[in-house]
Amino acid sequence: MITGDAAYIKKINRSIILKEIVKEGLISRADISKATALTRATISAQVADLIEEGLIIETQLEHYTVGRKPIMLSLNSEAGYALGIDLDYDHISFTVTDLKGSPVRSKRIEIDTNEYSEIIKVLINQIEKYKAEFADCRYGMIGIVLAIHGLVGKDEVIHYIPRLKWNKINLKTDLERQIGINIYLENNANLSAFAERVFVHHETNNLLSATLYSGIGLGMMMNNDFFRGHDGFSGEIGHMIVVPEGKPCNCGNKGCWEKYSSESSIFEYLSETRQMKHLTYQHIQKWLDEGDKEVQTLMEQFIFYLSIGLNNMINMYNPDVLVLDSELLRMYPDALEKIKGNLNSSISHYRELLISTIGKKSCELGACALAIKHFLNIPMLNLPFENR
């Protein structure tokens, strides 16, 4: 036997057992054995360790009419807390969840600068507050994941954020040096896709999620992992050209998809034409309710160009599930049916096309879920989405 084999097998068995407990929420030792084919002795030894470590707890079912009341196992949700951060160009959003992915704190801080030194101060200040608040629980803050609206390499170095004009920034190292907690950086669209997989689409192994807020990003989950491409830059689908020689884009090209079908393109146009600096979704909803012809025409164009890009994505990737994350689509009547009506190519194949039910929090929740996954060291999380 090679030295370390027993320890490695023990680690694998622990991961299998934890994954099953998280997936089921409440489960007995006997049912873990049935689901995993591990022996009762192996499960008993592992469970004893996990209870001693404070990661799982035992609960006796009170309303059980036949035989002895079974002892059920569940994840100790209060053993530690995860922090997800969405770093966008005009604000930073923070969400803290327990180990079951349920939010317990959230905050949004507006920013009006792209200066790295100023933004990192905001990040450190807020992280330190959360770190102190949850210091008394068993594992404290178990991990922090930042969502980046730009190019993040496999080395977790920020290579480019168009809106902030950041190039070659090692935010992970700078934060870890100050905070002393594991920091992970990931593309925002990838984290939204991860949230869809973890909280909603548990049986899907081939999922695409397009986020349409400040730009257009594509998160890709394939076989329970991110598809990142060679350097980690895949998914920048917003810079696919849909109108040759069209509107100029910050990336240097003209006619990029996100200049026509991102929510920011709608907000920028209406802010300019209606001379409203602080335009909100409520304004757009009001105009739609009033039957504003210009806004309705703008939304129809939004859907038209969105459909062009989606057709390309479907033909390229043949997804099982394709999720669209957009508040405007949730607001606009029959948006999904109108999109599907534009996807009439005989070679376009997908099983489900959906508008996200998680909404704008998907990025932060995905970030928290990824921190939990790293902490528990399990291959995939399946968590319920109720009451989030």
Side-chain angles (χ1 to χ4, degrees), residues 137-318:
C137 67
R138 178 73 177 258
Y139 292 97
M141 193 65 66
I142 55 95
I144 300 168
V145 175
L146 273 87
I148 303 300
H149 294 243
L151 301 180
V152 183
K154 291 179 178 178
D155 54 3
E156 295 183 79
V157 171
I158 297 173
H159 287 257
Y160 184 50
I161 300 180
R163 293 266 189 160
L164 294 177
K165 295 181 169 51
W166 288 2
N167 287 282
K168 304 294 183 182
I169 298 290
N170 202 334
L171 179 60
K172 173 185 170 73
T173 299
D174 291 343
L175 284 176
E176 285 182 337
R177 188 182 298 119
Q178 294 287 328
I179 302 299
I181 298 177
N182 289 333
I183 305 281
Y184 303 95
L185 266 60
E186 187 56 77
N187 175 267
N188 67 299
N190 278 348
L191 291 173
S192 290
F194 191 66
E196 295 292 341
R197 170 60 184 83
V198 167
F199 293 111
V200 182
H201 302 283
H202 294 163
E203 304 304 321
T204 300
N205 289 323
N206 191 332
L207 180 146
L208 303 183
S209 174
T211 58
L212 310 178
Y213 297 113
S214 59
I216 300 181
L218 179 66
M220 294 179 277
M221 294 295 301
M222 297 183 180
N223 297 320
N224 291 334
D225 202 357
F226 297 117
F227 178 79
R228 292 190 173 90
H230 182 263
D231 295 308
F233 301 159
S234 65
E236 290 300 319
I237 201 76
H239 298 287
M240 170 178 59
I241 295 172
V242 296
V243 180
E245 294 302 312
K247 298 175 185 178
C249 181
N250 290 334
C251 76
N253 278 327
K254 294 180 180 179
C256 290
W257 191 25
E258 67 179 41
K259 300 304 292 183
Y260 298 85
S261 284
S262 65
E263 292 194 353
S264 60
S265 68
I266 302 289
F267 274 80
E268 287 169 8
Y269 176 83
L270 288 173
S271 294
E272 182 178 346
T273 58
R274 305 202 173 191
Q275 297 185 349
M276 295 179 65
K277 187 174 181 181
H278 300 293
L279 187 68
T280 67
Y281 289 108
Q282 288 72 29
H283 290 116
I284 296 177
Q285 183 69 71
K286 179 175 179 289
W287 292 329
L288 288 173
D289 292 342
E290 293 171 349
D292 189 303
K293 295 298 183 185
E294 182 186 31
V295 176
Q296 288 178 340
T297 299
L298 199 60
M299 286 300 300
E300 292 296 327
Q301 291 175 347
F302 174 73
I303 285 174
F304 171 75
Y305 286 110
L306 179 60
S307 301
I308 292 174
L310 292 178
N311 183 76
N312 294 340
M313 286 167 50
I314 290 166
N315 286 337
M316 279 190 288
Y317 296 111
N318 181 214

Side-chain angles (χ1 to χ4, degrees), residues 14 18 55 79-80 99 139 142-143 184 370-378:
R14 174 192 174 97
L18 259 178
L55 280 177
L99 288 188
Y139 292 97
I142 55 95
Y184 303 95
L370 187 61
I372 295 167
K373 176 180 177 293
H374 285 309
F375 173 69
L376 296 179
N377 193 26
I378 58 180

